[in-house]
Amino acid sequence: MRILITDEIDPLLIKLIKQNNLEFKFNITDSSEKILQSIQQFDGIIVRNRIKIDSYFLHKAKNLKFIARYGSGLESIDLETAEKLNIQCFNSAEGNANAVGEHCLGILLSLFHKICYSGNQVKNHVWKREENRGVELENKIIGIIGYGNTGKSFAKKLKGFNCSVVAYDKYKAGFNDEFAKEVD
């Protein structure tokens, strides 16, 4: 099995590929058009966001059996065409859940404490203390839409703020846990 890797990936994944005696090639600089010239030589491709895998690309990839997305989203892959061509698509959804959960917490704190707004004012030598007073998360109800890996990671981070967390997920049910209460 030959695999094309189009973006930087963790050395641990390379180690696993080697341990399983899979042949692989890195091509982290060529354009989609250039990659299309040799894609028929590969059984699998590992992508991030650099290459858009559209219908045209998939039809050119005559021997492709799988597309592995190194990250959570599959939005850069034409999943409908891949399914019609019997190409399996999968991702590593949990891979960046912690980083995104932390990012969400940072944004929430920035909004509650007006950090960007007041920061810009201070840069312009304006200080409106009362107008820029923040709001604490404690005793607030925070809602999360989507309780997959990232939603749960965000909820875990909110636990220490003594706030209530409710979550809705249109794809799953029965996920009440110590971090969030399921709502409809």
Side-chain angles (χ1 to χ4, degrees):
M1 178 169 290
R2 295 193 72 211
I3 301 170
L4 177 64
I5 302 169
T6 64
D7 292 276
E8 292 290 337
I9 60 173
D10 192 286
L12 180 60
L13 180 54
I14 297 298
K15 182 178 176 182
L16 290 171
I17 291 170
K18 287 178 179 178
Q19 283 175 348
N20 286 284
N21 297 316
L22 300 171
E23 187 180 337
F24 66 94
K25 178 183 177 188
F26 274 102
N27 187 337
I28 60 173
T29 56
D30 285 346
S31 67
S32 292
E33 294 78 25
K34 183 86 169 162
I35 288 172
L36 276 173
Q37 294 173 12
S38 63
I39 193 63
Q40 68 281 355
Q41 299 171 19
F42 297 95
D43 303 298
I45 186 170
I46 299 174
V47 298
R48 275 191 145 156
N49 288 324
R50 191 175 72 80
I51 303 294
K52 183 168 175 52
I53 310 291
D54 58 13
S55 179
Y56 180 75
F57 187 100
L58 291 167
H59 281 94
K60 287 282 192 180
K62 300 286 187 205
N63 297 312
L64 209 58
K65 293 170 184 57
F66 75 87
I67 301 167
R69 167 64 164 85
Y70 192 80
S72 60
L74 294 171
E75 65 279 347
S76 63
I77 302 168
D78 182 344
L79 297 173
E80 190 176 310
T81 301
E83 185 177 355
K84 287 178 186 173
L85 296 172
N86 202 27
I87 300 170
Q88 289 189 335
C89 298
F90 51 93
N91 61 2
S92 55
E94 66 285 346
N96 62 349
N98 188 59
V100 176
E102 287 180 4
H103 186 73
C104 290
L105 180 59
I107 290 172
L108 185 64
L109 288 170
S110 180
L111 289 170
F112 268 53
H113 294 280
K114 303 178 184 179
I115 291 171
C116 290
Y117 182 74
S118 61
N120 285 332
Q121 283 185 341
V122 169
K123 285 178 192 174
N124 292 313
H125 308 288
V126 175
W127 177 245
K128 297 181 180 178
R129 182 179 178 143
E130 289 307 312
E131 189 178 305
N132 291 316
R133 191 170 296 279
V135 177
E136 293 180 359
L137 283 174
E138 187 169 36
N139 299 319
K140 301 292 186 287
I141 299 172
I142 308 298
I144 298 174
I145 299 173
Y147 202 66
N149 295 305
T150 301
K152 187 168 187 169
S153 175
F154 183 36
K156 284 180 182 179
K157 285 153 186 43
L158 287 166
K159 185 175 181 171
F161 287 90
N162 196 29
C163 56
S164 299
V165 178
V166 296
Y168 168 75
D169 193 309
K170 70 178 185 177
Y171 299 109
K172 64 184 191 179
F175 57 80
N176 273 331
D177 60 23
E178 63 184 298
F179 308 111
K181 177 184 174 201
E182 181 181 358
V183 295
D184 59 16

